[in-house]
């Protein structure tokens, strides 16, 4: 589904070249829910933006299905972003002047879907994510967790191959965060959505099938969920201890 090969990225400023990604490779299978973890500044957002086609890598390959994103021109990239990717951001990015339903309709209107199809899909997503009671409300009338569930519904509106989420629970209290993570769980189960989520939160990561840890621009560890969520969470904590190097802090 998604294949990254030896992704490299350097940010160049006048004073300094900052080598953020030093050769990242991994695969994500269809229907898999993968978390990318790593300390702040480790390049998680940069990596997600490269997968999204928002910024180009300097080297390497990003294959989404059979399409090589680094070889795609602007028009193809824009089309791929509209039809094959769904985005969920930390700060929701809903349109304040539109209701819940309208926010979910918007990406479908942009690709000229038929009215009836739009209505059907929107209702289906609203039901699946349990947001019927806020369907006609505006973003400023609802909670952060609800906003993020709308953003997830919107991300699914055009049947993307993959959902890309950058710290989707980063602005939420733990209870709202849980409702958002449960929404990811639902979409994975109901429609086998493929999800790549960046997070630095262990509890959020415990909802995913596999964790890829970045450090100093490289993939340093992977952890596959084998156990129930509670035990997985314990494994994540010791995994992160190893990755972030408790030993480093003591040096
Ligand atoms: N546009 C940019 N120009 C220069 N440096 C950047 C730019 N974007 C990010 N960086 C730097 O690259 C590093 C990685 O950033 P980022 O990918 O946002 O990390 P993370 O999401 O893991 O916190 C940080 O040190 C950040 O300051
Ligand atoms: Mg980030």
């Amino acid at each position: 589904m998604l294949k990254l090969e030896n992704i490299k990225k350097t940010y160049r400023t006048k004073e300094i070249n900052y080598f953020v990604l030093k050769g990242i490779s991994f695969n994500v299978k269809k229907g898999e829910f993968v978390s990318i973890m790593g300390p702040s500044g480790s390049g998680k957002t940069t990596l997600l933006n490269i997968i999204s086609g928002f910024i180009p890598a300097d080297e390497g390959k990003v294959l989404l299905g059979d399409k090589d994103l680094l070889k795609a021109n602007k028009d193809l990239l824009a089309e791929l972003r509209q039809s094959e990717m769904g985005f969920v951001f930390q700060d929701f990015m809903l349109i304040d002047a539109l209701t819940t339903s309208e926010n979910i309709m918007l990406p479908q209107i942009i690709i000229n879907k038929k009215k009836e199809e739009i209505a059907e899909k929107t209702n289906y997503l609203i039901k699946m994510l349990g947001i019927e009671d806020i369907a006609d409300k505006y973003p400023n009338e609802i909670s952060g967790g609800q906003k993020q569930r709308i953003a997830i519904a919107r991300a699914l509106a055009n049947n993307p191959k993959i959902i890309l989420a950058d710290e989707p629970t980063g602005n939420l209290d733990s209870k709202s965060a849980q409702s958002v993570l449960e929404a990811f769980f639902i979409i994975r189960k109901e429609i086998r959505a493929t999800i790549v989520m960046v997070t630095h939160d262990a509890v959020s990561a415990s909802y995913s099938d596999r964790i890829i840890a970045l450090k100093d621009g490289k993939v340093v560890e992977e952890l596959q969920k084998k156990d129930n969520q509670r035990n997985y969470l314990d494994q994540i904590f010791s995994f992160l201890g190893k990755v972030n190097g408790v030993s480093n802090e003591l040096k």
Side-chain angles (χ1 to χ4, degrees):
M1 162 68 51
L2 174 71
K3 197 174 166 84
L4 302 194
E5 281 177 28
N6 199 27
I7 296 295
K8 294 185 182 170
K9 179 74 187 177
T10 301
Y11 289 117
R12 295 172 204 284
T13 65
K14 275 190 198 123
E15 289 86 36
I16 173 176
N17 288 341
Y18 193 67
F19 196 4
V20 185
L21 301 177
K22 301 176 181 168
I24 304 279
S25 304
F26 60 83
N27 295 338
V28 178
K29 286 189 282 230
K30 184 169 164 35
E32 203 181 8
F33 181 3
V34 171
S35 290
I36 298 174
M37 298 192 81
S40 179
S42 59
K44 302 182 297 295
T45 294
T46 300
L47 182 61
L48 205 69
N49 284 340
I50 288 172
I51 299 172
S52 313
F54 283 128
I55 57 173
D58 299 331
E59 253 183 71
K61 257 190 186 172
V62 181
L63 296 169
L64 182 63
D66 56 0
K67 289 174 192 101
D68 186 341
L69 296 193
L70 297 179
K71 291 209 177 114
N73 62 29
K74 269 206 170 108
D75 290 345
L76 177 59
L77 264 184
E79 194 193 309
L80 289 175
R81 278 203 294 263
Q82 253 163 33
S83 60
E84 306 213 343
M85 301 179 199
F87 300 100
V88 179
F89 304 95
Q90 183 169 352
D91 46 4
F92 324 120
M93 302 273 202
L94 298 176
I95 295 184
D96 288 332
L98 301 179
T99 64
T100 294
S101 303
E102 290 164 350
N103 266 287
I104 300 169
M105 286 176 185
L106 189 61
Q108 306 179 73
I109 295 170
I110 290 171
I111 64 162
N112 289 320
K113 262 167 67 175
K114 285 203 195 96
K115 257 196 178 143
E116 308 81 68
E117 274 177 51
I118 293 176
E120 193 182 329
K121 183 77 181 184
T122 304
N123 289 335
Y124 167 77
L125 291 171
I126 283 176
K127 249 201 193 133
M128 182 166 72
L129 290 168
I131 47 179
E132 296 98 326
D133 51 333
I134 52 166
D136 297 321
K137 293 204 166 159
Y138 290 88
N140 67 5
E141 299 174 313
I142 61 182
S143 72
Q146 290 172 321
K147 283 185 201 173
Q148 201 60 304
R149 280 186 290 158
I150 297 168
I152 293 170
R154 178 186 56 185
L156 291 169
N158 290 338
N159 303 319
K161 285 207 172 95
I162 193 162
I163 298 286
L164 301 166
D166 194 355
E167 305 271 7
T169 57
N171 275 341
L172 301 174
D173 60 68
S174 62
K175 202 165 160 234
S176 306
Q178 196 185 340
S179 80
V180 167
L181 293 160
E182 273 157 13
F184 280 122
F185 233 45
I186 290 169
I187 66 171
R188 192 173 130 270
K189 193 161 141 258
E190 295 287 321
I191 55 176
R192 286 199 70 210
T194 308
I195 307 164
V196 175
M197 173 177 77
V198 163
T199 183
H200 60 249
D201 174 44
V203 175
S204 297
S206 74
Y207 282 78
S208 61
D209 304 311
R210 182 159 59 107
I211 299 171
I212 294 171
L214 295 189
K215 197 182 176 190
D216 300 330
K218 292 196 163 152
V219 172
V220 286
E221 292 277 350
E222 287 200 26
L223 182 69
Q224 179 81 40
K225 181 176 182 178
K226 294 191 198 86
D227 220 324
N228 65 43
Q229 197 175 356
R230 179 62 246 180
N231 291 347
Y232 188 40
L233 184 57
D234 288 340
Q235 287 157 17
I236 295 170
F237 281 122
S238 57
F239 167 77
L240 291 178
K242 205 162 63 176
V243 171
N244 295 337
V246 176
S247 55
N248 274 351
E249 275 164 29
L250 295 174
K251 264 181 204 157

